[in-house]
Amino acid sequence: MVKKVLFVGLGSAGQRHLRNLQEILGIEIEIIAYRCHKSERVFNSNMQVIEDETLTSKYKIQEFDDFGKALSDKPDIVVIANPNSMHMSFVLETARKGIDLFIEKPLSTSFEHTQELIEVVKKKGIICQVGFQYRYHPCIRLAKEYLEKKKLGEIVSVNAEVGESLTRMHSYEDYRSMLEARKELGGGVVLCQSHELDYLFWLFGMPVSVNSSGGKRSGLDIDVEDSSTTFFRYKDGCNEFPIILHQDFLQYPAVRKCKIVGTEGRMEIDLLSNSFLHEEYSSNERRQKCFENFVRNDMFFEEMRDFLNCVETRKTPKCDVQAAFASMKMGLAIKESFKDKRELKFDEFFGVEERF
């Protein structure tokens, strides 16, 4: 039974996980935190700042300024929700201690130490889940079910898109200070908006090659890419098909959609309106479903509950370290492709021994 949780990072993402943990386990769970920046901004469930409130007073957090000492306090699980580029050192130190981990996506922003982490997780038998919560979105789950049942026949093409204005993401801070906008913190649209990479991997596996065009296209005051359009080439047996993925920090209103075309039907998914459409060519039948009662936090709540169940039962999480490593590979290949302005074959880029 989880009774003590150590947090590394208590920004908006970390606080969301904290609230969900308290709802699942009860407010009596002990919360400890390694903190170096000591921001006291407190968020409610709508991600709005609560005035005249501090993290320590609201959650009764015991703070540590030394991560080793925090681990020595024997937490049952550790939640890593600090900036992307800082994940790995805390993750590795935790894993070496044999403590179960929940890590905010992405797993990391480079390949450095990732193979070591995978080996340590396997050797120690650690439960390590990475926070790709769109695997818990009802539309993605339904798409997974339809694809497994071959309701579309052979896949012909896939188009996925995510776009959101960086300047409107957080009403409580200047966009230039956000991790999404800063290279040193692991920002950039490719890895910060990597949920598409994860669900595409979950639905279709790893691509054969990647060809991407992207970079900083706008006048935003940032030092990272704000736009990327990628052509993934896939092969499923004798069937070859493309997946086109577009990501940007520019669009308003936001968009998050996926269209899958097959030889016998097609699916259209809107992940913001929570709507799902399946059309069958032979019968002209249209099946539409809108998950009206679904709210965004349902995904985060369900993934945390699933993680805690894995901690209890020792089952492998839906998005374990291997799966998170796969989507990270896809993201880093995108960035390498548009930097070099060429198509990259995954075998050549990663080496045969690293293929899935």
Side-chain angles (χ1 to χ4, degrees), residues 53-97:
E53 184 75 272
T54 67
L55 285 169
T56 48
S57 64
K58 182 171 179 60
Y59 295 110
K60 299 179 174 57
I61 297 169
Q62 180 185 358
E63 296 182 355
F64 292 84
D65 58 11
D66 182 297
F67 186 60
K69 289 181 179 178
L71 289 177
S72 295
D73 205 41
K74 301 189 182 305
D76 298 301
I77 60 174
V78 176
V79 177
I80 305 292
N82 58 345
N84 302 339
S85 62
M86 302 178 184
H87 286 179
M88 193 51 64
S89 61
F90 294 100
V91 168
L92 260 180
E93 191 171 348
T94 302
R96 289 176 185 136
K97 295 283 187 181

Side-chain angles (χ1 to χ4, degrees), residues 10 14 16 73 89 91 93 95 101 122-123 134 139 147 185 210 254 264-265 301 327 333 348:
L10 278 169
R16 183 191 290 275
D73 205 41
S89 61
V91 168
E93 191 171 348
L101 276 155
K122 184 177 180 180
K123 181 180 178 181
Y134 276 87
C139 290
L147 289 169
L185 299 181
V210 53
E264 297 175 18
F301 188 86
S327 62
E348 297 172 359

Side-chain angles (χ1 to χ4, degrees), residues 73-133:
D73 205 41
K74 301 189 182 305
D76 298 301
I77 60 174
V78 176
V79 177
I80 305 292
N82 58 345
N84 302 339
S85 62
M86 302 178 184
H87 286 179
M88 193 51 64
S89 61
F90 294 100
V91 168
L92 260 180
E93 191 171 348
T94 302
R96 289 176 185 136
K97 295 283 187 181
I99 302 172
D100 295 331
L101 276 155
F102 182 95
I103 308 165
E104 257 304 308
K105 63 83 188 162
L107 178 63
S108 185
T109 56
S110 77
F111 291 121
E112 189 174 7
H113 299 304
T114 50
Q115 286 292 347
E116 181 184 353
L117 173 65
I118 290 169
E119 291 168 9
V120 171
V121 166
K122 184 177 180 180
K123 181 180 178 181
K124 298 276 190 179
I126 295 165
I127 299 300
C128 183
Q129 180 164 325
V130 181
F132 283 106
Q133 71 270 6

Side-chain angles (χ1 to χ4, degrees), residues 82 93 111 148 210 236 332 347 352 355:
N82 58 345
E93 191 171 348
F111 291 121
E148 288 177 345
V210 53
D236 181 14
L332 293 178
D347 284 359
V352 175
R355 278 185 296 163

Side-chain angles (χ1 to χ4, degrees), residues 157-161 257-261 266-269:
S157 67
V158 180
N159 281 268
E161 179 182 15
K257 296 180 179 181
C258 184
K259 180 179 180 180
I260 306 171
V261 177
R266 69 187 177 110
M267 288 188 290
E268 293 186 13
I269 298 165

Side-chain angles (χ1 to χ4, degrees), residues 100-211:
D100 295 331
L101 276 155
F102 182 95
I103 308 165
E104 257 304 308
K105 63 83 188 162
L107 178 63
S108 185
T109 56
S110 77
F111 291 121
E112 189 174 7
H113 299 304
T114 50
Q115 286 292 347
E116 181 184 353
L117 173 65
I118 290 169
E119 291 168 9
V120 171
V121 166
K122 184 177 180 180
K123 181 180 178 181
K124 298 276 190 179
I126 295 165
I127 299 300
C128 183
Q129 180 164 325
V130 181
F132 283 106
Q133 71 270 6
Y134 276 87
R135 292 194 182 210
Y136 298 87
H137 194 291
C139 290
I140 296 295
R141 284 179 162 179
L142 198 53
K144 176 79 167 172
E145 178 186 330
Y146 274 41
L147 289 169
E148 288 177 345
K149 292 179 179 178
K150 292 283 187 179
K151 286 183 176 284
L152 303 188
E154 297 295 330
I155 302 302
V156 174
S157 67
V158 180
N159 281 268
E161 179 182 15
V162 55
E164 183 177 5
S165 171
L166 183 68
T167 61
R168 297 170 185 256
M169 279 186 188
H170 298 167
S171 60
Y172 50 83
E173 64 181 333
D174 188 317
Y175 80 89
R176 289 166 291 195
S177 66
M178 293 162 50
L179 80 85
E180 289 85 351
R182 298 168 61 187
K183 185 176 181 179
E184 64 176 323
L185 299 181
V189 73
V190 171
L191 291 178
C192 287
Q193 296 284 37
S194 57
H195 290 293
E196 277 62 28
L197 298 176
D198 177 68
Y199 80 64
L200 289 173
F201 168 71
W202 194 43
L203 297 178
F204 302 106
M206 287 293 279
V208 175
S209 67
V210 53
N211 198 348

